[in-house]
Amino acid sequence: MFALIDCNNFYVSCERVFNPQLDKKPVVVLSNNDGCAISRSNEAKALGIPMGAPAFKYEKVFRKNNIQVFSSNFPLYGDMSSRVMSILSKFSPNIEIYSIDEAFLKFEGFENYDLESYCQNIKDMVFKWTGIPISIGIAPTKALAKVSNRISKKFPNKTKGVYLMNSEEKRIKALKWLKIQDVWGIGFRHYERLKKYKVNNAYDFILLPDNWVRKKMSVVGLRLKKELEGKSVLDLEEVKSPKKAIATTRSFEGTITDYEKIKERISTFAVCCAEKLRAQNSNCNSIYVFVKSNKFQKNKTQYRNGILMTIPYSTNSNIVISKYAIEGLQKIFKKGINYKKVGAIVMGLDSSGSHQLSLFENENPKHKYLMKTIDYIQKTEGQSKIKLASQDLRKRWKMKQEKLSPNYTCKIDQIIKVK
């Protein structure tokens, strides 16, 4: 059996742990740069605040309904997530951390356990030790555990936050209840395609012929169908593979038209990508650079463009990656545009220890030792101590975080003070 553990309204719950006055009040947590709603309390959802609601559009709604709004505090959320996952690992040696607020547990050798009571104990311990409320769905496959988890959240009074799908009757009833667009792995395109064939719920989906599903949705769709039929084909992924692409993108507080300022941002974002590459022991073979105007300024000229720059050899050097990013920007930059967002994405990632060498052109071997020294200095002395000449030496990029809560568990000077 598999269990999916999901933290309820996780970012909001983290804020409530350290500020109990927020309990039973509408709370919203915003994305990077205070852009849009990425976590909402049940009270905020009841007031009609949708996921992804742009903060500037809902500012009056927030004030009118006295909704408490917070900037995203990822160091705090990451630390709280680690605490939750550490507790979960005590209940089963087989765990897959699926996201910052979700994890799968696999129960092998638990045939004589009352899994519903066992998972209630998990739920109670996580809440007692961290203050984070969780919901648990238990089923014979990972996809069905997702369905069970949705049921445990949808009917908290009846399930008490834990739902065990342990019979064929429960499985069929759940699949007939679950809308097709809510099935794990069914994206917008598949939803639109399935809707044309009058597939309205998960049960309709499993009635489709295997050949049709494989043809229209590839082997991934067929695996999902088998999982929903109760046949386990997806096992835990115990070791997360390195990212296949790394992005650093930002929206500006206002708009920028000056090329030199855009160039400085692109260089800084490219350096940030290079640092992330080295952190996961990877190199890249290309970098994608893009620029976008402000789509909400309808009276201004709209422009968006991007370009993929191929690097002739595999690298994670700040110097090389920044150089190609700036060359890409030169090719797509257009004067007279009010730019709102720019970004850099490194692609074609491979391992630093086993990357393909080029016969005719390779990176300067000194870069490897230089980057290692820079990383050491940044780690010991603080970020932004060493910069490229293409970066602003006096400026440090700071996100718009006007409603940021303290890092209660991450910074000693922001620890809770008991009076």
Side-chain angles (χ1 to χ4, degrees):
M1 297 290 275
F2 293 86
L4 175 67
I5 295 89
D6 188 10
C7 301
N8 301 342
N9 310 323
F10 181 57
Y11 298 162
V12 167
S13 295
C14 289
E15 298 291 349
R16 283 176 164 173
V17 167
F18 300 98
N19 189 353
Q21 294 178 343
L22 298 174
D23 286 349
K24 298 182 180 178
K25 291 182 180 177
V27 182
V28 167
V29 174
L30 302 176
S31 62
N32 281 339
N33 252 11
D34 291 350
C36 56
I38 55 172
S39 183
R40 305 154 295 151
S41 67
N42 292 337
E43 295 79 8
K45 293 175 186 176
L47 291 169
I49 307 299
M51 180 64 94
F56 75 95
K57 278 190 176 182
Y58 281 80
E59 199 168 340
K60 290 182 180 178
V61 180
F62 293 157
R63 285 201 301 266
K64 181 181 176 183
N65 294 284
N66 197 27
I67 296 174
Q68 303 296 308
V69 181
F70 290 89
S71 303
S72 48
N73 189 342
F74 290 118
L76 175 66
Y77 307 154
D79 182 66
M80 293 301 291
S81 173
S82 297
R83 293 168 189 244
V84 171
M85 301 306 167
S86 176
I87 295 167
L88 296 181
S89 65
K90 298 177 186 296
F91 288 89
S92 174
N94 302 315
I95 181 170
E96 175 191 340
I97 298 174
Y98 186 66
S99 68
I100 193 171
D101 61 346
E102 287 180 286
F104 284 102
L105 293 181
K106 186 177 182 181
F107 295 122
E108 284 185 320
F110 283 71
E111 290 78 13
N112 297 323
Y113 279 69
D114 180 348
L115 285 180
E116 197 165 3
S117 298
Y118 191 71
C119 287
Q120 280 291 349
N121 290 338
I122 296 175
K123 178 174 169 285
D124 293 343
M125 183 175 288
V126 169
F127 186 75
K128 184 177 181 180
W129 287 14
T130 68
I132 301 293
I134 63 173
S135 298
I136 304 178
I138 316 150
T141 73
K142 289 175 76 175
L144 288 174
K146 273 273 188 181
V147 180
S148 293
N149 186 275
R150 184 175 280 270
I151 293 170
S152 71
K153 279 192 167 184
K154 188 70 175 177
F155 308 102
N157 294 330
K158 190 174 181 180
T159 65
K160 296 181 181 178
V162 176
Y163 184 72
L164 173 63
M165 188 186 294
N166 58 351
S167 70
E168 190 68 5
E169 183 185 357
K170 285 184 177 181
R171 184 181 72 86
I172 299 300
K173 185 178 179 181
L175 295 182
K176 287 181 176 179
W177 166 80
L178 186 66
K179 294 177 182 176
I180 188 62
Q181 62 265 37
D182 294 330
V183 174
W184 181 42
I186 299 292
F188 179 75
R189 287 184 182 177
H190 286 324
Y191 166 59
E192 289 294 311
R193 181 183 292 116
L194 291 167
K195 194 168 63 170
K196 291 177 183 176
Y197 289 90
K198 297 183 179 179
V199 176
N200 299 311
N201 56 43
Y203 186 71
D204 293 339
F205 176 64
I206 66 169
L207 294 178
L208 293 171
D210 286 357
N211 290 340
W212 187 94
V213 174
R214 186 182 184 111
K215 183 179 178 181
K216 300 291 185 181
M217 300 175 64
S218 78
V219 69
V220 176
L222 184 59
R223 284 175 188 155
L224 174 60
K225 180 176 181 288
K226 295 299 179 186
E227 284 268 316
L228 294 174
E229 289 172 347
K231 300 163 188 170
S232 180
V233 295
L234 299 175
D235 207 348
L236 297 187
E237 296 178 15
E238 295 186 26
V239 180
K240 269 205 179 285
S241 57
K243 294 178 181 177
K244 296 179 180 177
I246 293 175
T248 303
T249 67
R250 294 286 186 275
S251 294
F252 306 130
E253 192 168 346
T255 55
I256 299 177
T257 57
D258 182 62
Y259 170 76
E260 289 300 322
K261 290 182 178 178
I262 298 286
K263 173 186 165 186
E264 192 280 329
R265 292 291 83 209
I266 286 292
S267 176
T268 297
F269 296 165
V271 168
C272 185
C273 287
E275 290 171 349
K276 292 176 182 177
L277 278 172
R278 296 196 295 276
Q280 72 167 39
N281 196 33
S282 295
N283 288 350
C284 74
N285 289 293
S286 57
I287 181 165
Y288 180 79
V289 178
F290 71 86
V291 293
K292 292 180 183 179
S293 59
N294 190 346
K295 64 181 179 180
F296 296 108
Q297 292 182 336
K298 303 295 184 184
N299 58 330
K300 302 286 186 181
T301 304
Q302 295 295 307
Y303 177 70
R304 59 189 297 168
N305 203 352
I307 187 170
L308 182 68
M309 299 296 293
T310 302
I311 303 172
Y313 44 82
S314 193
T315 182
N316 58 26
S317 166
N318 294 3
I319 300 166
V320 176
I321 293 173
S322 176
K323 173 192 167 188
Y324 281 90
I326 292 171
E327 285 182 10
L329 176 65
Q330 289 171 348
K331 295 176 186 291
I332 62 173
F333 183 83
K334 192 183 282 189
K335 290 183 179 179
I337 302 294
N338 290 339
Y339 292 102
K340 179 65 178 176
K341 185 175 184 178
V342 302
I345 307 171
V346 289
M347 300 174 169
L349 275 53
D350 56 29
S351 171
S352 296
S354 58
H355 64 270
Q356 183 70 43
L357 296 175
S358 170
L359 182 61
F360 301 105
E361 194 170 3
N362 281 300
E363 185 176 67
N364 185 334
K366 292 180 180 179
H367 283 209
K368 179 180 177 182
Y369 301 104
L370 178 60
M371 293 305 118
K372 191 173 182 180
T373 303
I374 288 174
D375 289 341
Y376 175 76
I377 293 172
Q378 304 278 47
K379 186 176 181 180
T380 55
E381 301 297 329
Q383 289 295 318
S384 303
K385 293 295 182 183
I386 299 176
K387 292 187 176 183
L388 299 181
S390 55
Q391 296 177 261
D392 189 333
L393 301 179
R394 293 161 302 194
K395 181 177 181 180
R396 182 175 179 184
W397 176 261
K398 193 174 188 305
M399 285 190 293
K400 181 182 177 185
Q401 294 178 307
E402 295 177 347
K403 306 174 190 302
L404 187 65
S405 57
N407 286 331
Y408 299 103
T409 65
C410 310
K411 291 188 177 180
I412 194 69
D413 59 329
Q414 296 181 20
I415 197 167
I416 283 184
K417 295 175 183 175
V418 180
K419 297 182 180 178

